[in-house]
Amino acid sequence: QVYHVQQNHAPLVELELIFPSGGATDPKGKPGTTALMVDMLDEGTQGRSALVLNDALQRLATDYGSDVGTDSITLSMNLLASNLGPSLELLRDIVRSPAMPEAEFNRRKAQRAAAALANEANPQTGQRNTLRRVLFGDGYGGNSAEGTQQSIQSINFADVQAQYQAAIAPEGAAFVVVGAVDKETIDGQLKRTFGNWTG
């Protein structure tokens, strides 16, 4: 699906690709798996290293970001309308052919575990996590999509690879596009970059 609103007051486009599954699909006992997997997507593609990919985004003045919730994965781009085509080509490669090198997995895992440890010292984080466990226990919604230091430490590279195969798929996904682009143009560019994606 494509949701589109044309706004021509600035030559900018905000684009989001939203998948209908998030932290609730993490393997049992391993909250944070989806978040770590999504964190790995921009660590290079099959044709570009992480440095080359980052340089390509910078040359296009395109900001890439990601977010994982209980029920969704959101990949976003803020870009110049004139760079829509090449920016979508980069997003296609990030989504459909990420390199996900194991060496970078170990680095990102260590970073996320350290961040989780710091977050656990925050009273607000502790309050939210306690509320989830009281309301939902070990069931749906009982864990933060970001995971805990302990749960992140238990995640291995195979878990992340399996979660990519399970969660990053076109069925049920949606594009939300707002900005200085007409519907015919965005439809044509999305068909060119994602039109043959199945699964």
Side-chain angles (χ1 to χ4, degrees):
Q1 290 183 306
V2 180
Y3 300 92
H4 168 253
V5 175
Q6 186 170 351
Q7 294 181 338
N8 293 322
H9 57 272
L12 304 173
V13 173
E14 165 85 18
L15 181 145
E16 292 184 345
L17 172 55
I18 304 172
F19 297 93
S21 58
T25 65
D26 287 338
K28 186 171 179 59
K30 297 186 177 184
T33 302
T34 302
L36 180 54
M37 177 272 292
V38 170
D39 208 22
M40 290 283 297
L41 291 179
D42 64 342
E43 287 294 339
T45 66
Q46 298 300 329
R48 298 178 176 89
S49 68
L51 288 175
V52 171
L53 176 60
N54 185 61
D55 183 61
L57 288 167
Q58 287 188 9
R59 282 189 286 103
L60 292 171
T62 296
D63 290 330
Y64 166 83
S66 61
D67 182 66
V68 177
T70 301
D71 294 309
S72 65
I73 296 167
T74 302
L75 308 181
S76 60
M77 281 185 156
N78 291 307
L79 54 103
L80 298 171
S82 58
N83 289 337
L84 175 64
S87 295
L88 275 174
E89 290 173 5
L90 293 179
L91 182 61
R92 173 198 61 202
D93 293 346
I94 289 169
V95 171
R96 299 179 61 179
S97 57
M100 301 181 79
E102 189 167 2
E104 293 302 322
F105 161 78
N106 294 325
R107 181 178 66 83
R108 286 291 181 107
K109 175 180 171 179
Q111 288 177 339
R112 294 195 72 87
L117 179 62
N119 285 338
E120 287 163 19
N122 183 316
Q124 289 182 334
T125 301
Q127 181 265 340
R128 286 194 299 268
N129 289 342
T130 301
L131 183 61
R132 284 191 186 98
R133 296 307 295 265
V134 169
L135 292 175
F136 305 113
D138 289 328
Y140 166 83
N143 296 296
S144 165
E146 298 298 315
T148 64
Q149 184 201 22
Q150 184 176 3
S151 69
I152 291 169
Q153 294 288 10
S154 70
I155 299 168
N156 59 47
F157 188 51
D159 294 327
V160 168
Q161 291 176 307
Q163 197 65 5
Y164 169 78
Q165 295 295 332
I168 305 299
E171 184 176 352
F175 283 96
V176 180
V177 185
V178 178
V181 58
D182 59 63
K183 191 172 190 308
E184 182 180 3
T185 299
I186 190 62
D187 283 350
Q189 293 287 5
L190 288 174
K191 286 176 182 176
R192 182 177 64 84
T193 50
F194 286 90
N196 64 348
W197 193 24
T198 60

